[in-house]
Amino acid sequence: MTTRRSVLCVPASEPAKVAKALAVDVDEVVVDLEDAVAPTRKDDARAVLAAIAPRERGGIAVRVNALNSAWVLDDLAAVVANDAITSIVLPKVDSAEDIEEVERQLVRLEGEQGRAALVRVQALIESAHGIGDVQAIAAASRRMVSLIIGYADLGVSLGRRLHASWQFAHDAVILAARIAGIQAVDGPLLTVHADAALQQAAVAAESLGFDGKWVIHPRQAGVVQDAFTPSGEEADEARGLLAAMDAALRSGQGAVQWRGRMLDEAVAVQARRVLSRVVIS
């Protein structure tokens, strides 16, 4: 599964920004056809997708327009036509039926265009209905790879101000993602600054259990990437812990002690999660 420690969202209607974003050291770039593109520029923005080439490291996704829009089928066709694009971000997901419908369209288009690799799906949770049905959404398709919180639209849907507590939404999305075995990604801090506020938000999201966080400016990528990347000491400890458990298992031991700690499978799961974020440059 693609690591999504830092995810940079960039408007498809600005080709120079797309090219710059694809060169930034982030785990994934999301090329946006939805909110960042005016209705009169949808066709021009979609044409940019054809020129996108695979990145040396990191994934490429496209945020398509909503299922009830006039543009979504053309968006999906453009995505399927380019093998460099590995997933879509589907906005305004209200129910599992939305995921099932987009899967039907992807199956049809992949068959028509002869694409072998499945286009994966990431669901943007940004409504009261989406939060209410989030566990079903997470499990709606084998194509699902992540849930993402969209704070701005979710705030409007709930009548909640952005500075209010979002703990209930965090918990709902992370729980649903863990049950389904997919990733949970925090939405962006709606500024373009790489400052202490961004660092605090990224560290907080990591501590809650998110796998990564969106950013909306290239300068923010490093701050978020660092927050979700284990230190050398953390990675070494995780490797040592797993090695101790493996040695104990091979020797037929039951309880495992290591550096004064009692180890069990729950500890091993956390260690594996740490190592999953160690990306070799």
Side-chain angles (χ1 to χ4, degrees):
M1 183 181 291
T2 299
T3 303
R4 292 183 173 85
R5 297 168 300 172
S6 57
V7 179
L8 174 60
C9 191
V10 60
S13 54
E14 301 188 49
K17 288 186 177 181
V18 172
K20 182 177 180 180
L22 292 172
V24 173
D25 184 18
V26 291
D27 287 339
E28 185 169 68
V29 173
V30 175
V31 182
D32 188 13
L33 294 173
E34 195 215 12
D35 284 349
V37 178
T40 56
R41 301 195 63 193
K42 298 290 188 184
D43 291 341
D44 292 339
R46 192 180 303 111
V48 171
L49 303 187
I52 292 176
R55 301 174 68 210
E56 289 187 9
R57 184 178 68 78
I60 302 171
V62 171
R63 177 159 71 169
V64 298
N65 285 278
L67 271 178
N68 62 357
S69 72
W71 307 289
V72 65
L73 294 182
D74 289 335
D75 293 348
L76 294 174
V79 167
V80 171
N82 187 344
D83 288 344
I85 301 166
T86 54
S87 70
I88 63 164
V89 175
L90 186 65
K92 299 176 176 59
V93 177
D94 285 343
S95 67
E97 286 74 19
D98 289 346
I99 301 298
E100 292 164 0
E101 174 59 23
V102 82
E103 180 173 41
R104 282 191 287 270
Q105 297 301 332
L106 288 170
V107 168
R108 175 181 62 82
L109 289 164
E110 287 166 349
E112 291 174 357
Q113 298 190 27
R115 175 164 174 160
L118 297 181
V119 175
R120 304 299 179 179
V121 178
Q122 304 183 56
L124 196 51
I125 306 300
E126 48 188 343
S127 69
H129 288 294
I131 287 288
D133 205 30
V134 69
Q135 290 192 24
I137 289 167
S141 168
R142 66 190 177 115
R143 294 175 186 257
M144 285 290 299
V145 292
S146 83
L147 301 172
I148 308 150
I149 294 183
Y151 290 105
D153 285 327
L154 182 56
V156 172
S157 177
L158 296 171
R160 181 176 292 248
R161 297 183 185 274
L162 290 179
H163 62 263
S165 170
W166 292 98
Q167 190 67 51
F168 78 100
H170 296 157
D171 291 343
V173 167
I174 292 168
L175 178 62
R178 295 294 169 258
I179 291 171
I182 63 176
Q183 293 171 342
V185 180
D186 194 28
L189 195 65
L190 299 177
T191 75
V192 297
H193 306 300
D195 54 12
L198 178 65
Q199 183 181 34
Q200 182 179 9
V203 169
E206 192 279 335
S207 69
L208 286 171
F210 282 102
D211 296 289
K213 185 174 179 66
W214 273 28
V215 297
I216 57 177
H217 195 283
R219 72 167 66 99
Q220 298 176 313
V223 174
V224 170
Q225 194 93 339
D226 287 347
F228 284 91
T229 301
S231 67
E233 293 79 6
E234 290 172 323
D236 287 344
E237 179 174 335
R239 293 188 188 99
L241 183 155
L242 291 172
M245 291 192 67
D246 183 59
L249 180 64
R250 283 187 278 107
S251 66
Q253 295 180 41
V256 182
Q257 293 188 44
W258 182 74
R259 295 184 180 179
R261 299 171 60 186
M262 294 299 297
L263 307 183
D264 59 17
E265 183 58 25
V267 175
V269 168
Q270 181 62 21
R272 294 185 196 105
R273 183 166 181 262
V274 167
L275 293 179
S276 73
R277 295 181 182 172
V278 178
V279 176
I280 306 301
S281 300

